[in-house]
């Protein structure tokens, strides 16, 4: 990507250390052509706002994005988006404003957040550490929580397994 797009403002510093239910969150998921932001592209993103500890489904957004790099079969197997599915999709530059609006002033929840952080840096710029400070890696949290008394000691490799263990929907 050439020119960086306007970066969404982070949450107010005064919110750090506040009860999680009192801060604005957004769940973020990127689908990509691969995991290397220096050569791969976002092909879709989904966001779901969480306000006062409640999912705000009316504010959920999903957008397919035209990649510049070709879709590899391994990526299609993961996300199910084929080249013909993305033929009419706009480039990231045209929809980044929607993504920025969804992230504006919010902390971010992501599964294996290093992926989202790396692509956020590519799309909007900024330092990785700045994005990491506003992001909670749900996978890392699940790995850490498995050691809690009474918690299942099984693997935490995928989101569906963790959600099933916790009795929440994916």
């Amino acid at each position: 990507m050439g020119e960086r797009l306007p970066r969404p403002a982070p949450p107010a510093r005064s919110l750090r250390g506040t009860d999680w239910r009192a801060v604005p969150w957004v769940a973020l998921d990127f689908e990509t052509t691969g995991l290397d932001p220096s050569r791969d592209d976002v092909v879709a993103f989904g966001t779901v706002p969480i306000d006062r500890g409640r999912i705000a489904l009316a504010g959920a957004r999903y957008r397919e994005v035209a990649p510049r790099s070709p879709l590899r079969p391994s990526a299609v197997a993961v996300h199910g988006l084929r080249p013909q599915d993305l033929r009419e999709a706009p480039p990231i530059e045209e929809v980044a404003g929607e993504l920025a609006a969804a992230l504006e002033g919010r902390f971010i929840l992501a599964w294996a957040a290093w992926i989202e952080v790396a692509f956020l840096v590519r799309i909007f710029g900024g330092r990785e550490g700045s994005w990491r400070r506003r992001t909670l890696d749900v996978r890392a949290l699940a790995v850490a929580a498995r050691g809690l008394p009474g918690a299942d000691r099984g693997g935490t490799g995928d989101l569906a397994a963790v959600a099933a263990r916790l009795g929440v929907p994916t």
Side-chain angles (χ1 to χ4, degrees), residues 89-108:
I92 190 68
E93 294 82 4
E94 288 183 23
V95 295
E98 292 176 41
L99 177 58
L103 302 177
E104 185 76 21
R106 293 180 177 274
F107 290 98
I108 300 167

Side-chain angles (χ1 to χ4, degrees), residues 41-62:
D41 295 306
V42 170
V43 295
F45 64 83
T47 60
V48 179
I50 303 166
D51 296 312
R52 294 178 300 282
R54 297 199 180 276
I55 294 170
L57 264 183
R61 299 287 175 260
Y62 171 77

Side-chain angles (χ1 to χ4, degrees), residues 30-37 39-43 69-72 74-76 79 114-115 119:
F30 283 139
E31 301 301 342
T32 63
T33 60
L35 300 178
D36 182 351
R39 72 164 192 245
D40 293 311
D41 295 306
V42 170
V43 295
S69 58
L71 279 169
R72 289 190 292 284
S74 58
V76 173
H79 53 62
W114 66 270
I115 298 166
F119 282 93

Side-chain angles (χ1 to χ4, degrees), residues 25 107-111 113 131-139 141:
W25 292 93
F107 290 98
I108 300 167
L109 293 171
W111 183 262
W131 287 105
R132 290 173 73 88
R133 276 191 295 282
R134 72 185 282 187
T135 304
L136 176 64
D137 188 330
V138 179
R139 184 183 186 285
L141 186 60

